[in-house]
Amino acid sequence: MKATLPFVNFHTHHPAHEGELSLGGEEHGFDTRWDKPLDIQEQEFARAVEESEHKQTFLTIHCVKSIDTVLRMRRTLKPTQPWLFHGFRGKPQQLRSLVEAGLFVSFGFRYNVQSLLLCPLERMCLETDDTPGPIRPLYEEVSRLRGVTLESLQTSMVANMHKLMQKDPATILL
């Protein structure tokens, strides 16, 4: 009997729906809308990266109009743990920069179609951070747009979860 693959939700603050596996969690990063000065945001981010490295866990990045800062911090801090850029809505050139820097990129229900199509499946993640509903409709939409089966998209997302968590797939309960 074939095991049913979960719909991995890489970033949400909402309860998981049936058939979903939620990796919701804390996010760190930069936001031009915050009252906090950029140098303070950078100090806090550096501490979050240090904690991620110490705990050997991936880091979920919140970023509003600060991609250059994220990329500069990555070059400066040289992390060994994976980084997940969540809620990406940017243009293809921004996506290329993130992927070339080794980041995983997570898309929600609002995204740039060109970027979604350009993102390598081995670096793509899907999320419902901004939506309380189930993630399956997003998987269905992405599989249709990318011309892949729903099951193959699920397989890619489960593989990416294992890469982010840096654990043997057999050790993760699905």
Side-chain angles (χ1 to χ4, degrees), residues 30-95:
F30 307 95
D31 196 323
T32 57
R33 300 171 302 181
W34 291 343
D35 291 334
K36 198 176 295 183
L38 183 60
D39 62 322
I40 301 298
Q41 291 183 44
E42 287 183 13
Q43 291 170 15
E44 291 174 354
F45 186 76
R47 282 193 292 277
V49 171
E50 185 178 314
E51 185 176 332
S52 165
E53 294 294 307
H54 177 73
K55 291 182 176 179
Q56 297 187 332
T57 58
F58 72 94
L59 183 70
T60 300
I61 298 174
H62 171 93
C63 179
V64 176
K65 297 183 180 181
S66 303
I67 287 177
D68 290 340
T69 303
V70 169
L71 294 171
R72 179 175 48 77
M73 295 292 286
R74 186 157 176 90
R75 284 189 305 274
T76 302
L77 299 172
K78 298 176 177 45
T80 60
Q81 297 305 305
W83 286 12
L84 172 66
F85 192 103
H86 100 85
F88 185 75
R89 299 178 190 167
K91 296 178 181 176
Q93 184 55 43
Q94 294 170 313
L95 173 77

Side-chain angles (χ1 to χ4, degrees), residues 31-171:
D31 196 323
T32 57
R33 300 171 302 181
W34 291 343
D35 291 334
K36 198 176 295 183
L38 183 60
D39 62 322
I40 301 298
Q41 291 183 44
E42 287 183 13
Q43 291 170 15
E44 291 174 354
F45 186 76
R47 282 193 292 277
V49 171
E50 185 178 314
E51 185 176 332
S52 165
E53 294 294 307
H54 177 73
K55 291 182 176 179
Q56 297 187 332
T57 58
F58 72 94
L59 183 70
T60 300
I61 298 174
H62 171 93
C63 179
V64 176
K65 297 183 180 181
S66 303
I67 287 177
D68 290 340
T69 303
V70 169
L71 294 171
R72 179 175 48 77
M73 295 292 286
R74 186 157 176 90
R75 284 189 305 274
T76 302
L77 299 172
K78 298 176 177 45
T80 60
Q81 297 305 305
W83 286 12
L84 172 66
F85 192 103
H86 100 85
F88 185 75
R89 299 178 190 167
K91 296 178 181 176
Q93 184 55 43
Q94 294 170 313
L95 173 77
R96 279 188 205 94
S97 296
L98 294 170
V99 170
E100 288 170 5
L103 278 77
F104 287 84
V105 180
S106 188
F107 296 86
F109 282 97
R110 296 187 307 189
Y111 53 83
N112 177 306
V113 174
Q114 292 174 309
S115 295
L116 180 88
L117 294 173
L118 180 66
C119 188
L121 282 177
E122 61 272 7
R123 287 285 164 187
M124 178 186 283
C125 300
L126 299 174
E127 65 177 64
T128 62
D129 181 51
D130 55 0
T131 306
I135 197 166
R136 183 181 177 127
L138 180 60
Y139 270 73
E140 291 168 344
E141 187 174 313
V142 170
S143 69
R144 182 182 52 75
L145 287 170
R146 301 275 313 216
V148 298
T149 67
L150 187 59
E151 186 175 289
S152 71
L153 182 60
Q154 286 177 275
T155 299
S156 293
M157 296 303 104
V158 168
N160 291 348
M161 176 187 67
H162 294 155
K163 289 181 220 169
L164 275 171
M165 297 179 81
Q166 297 186 11
K167 297 188 186 296
D168 179 346
T171 66

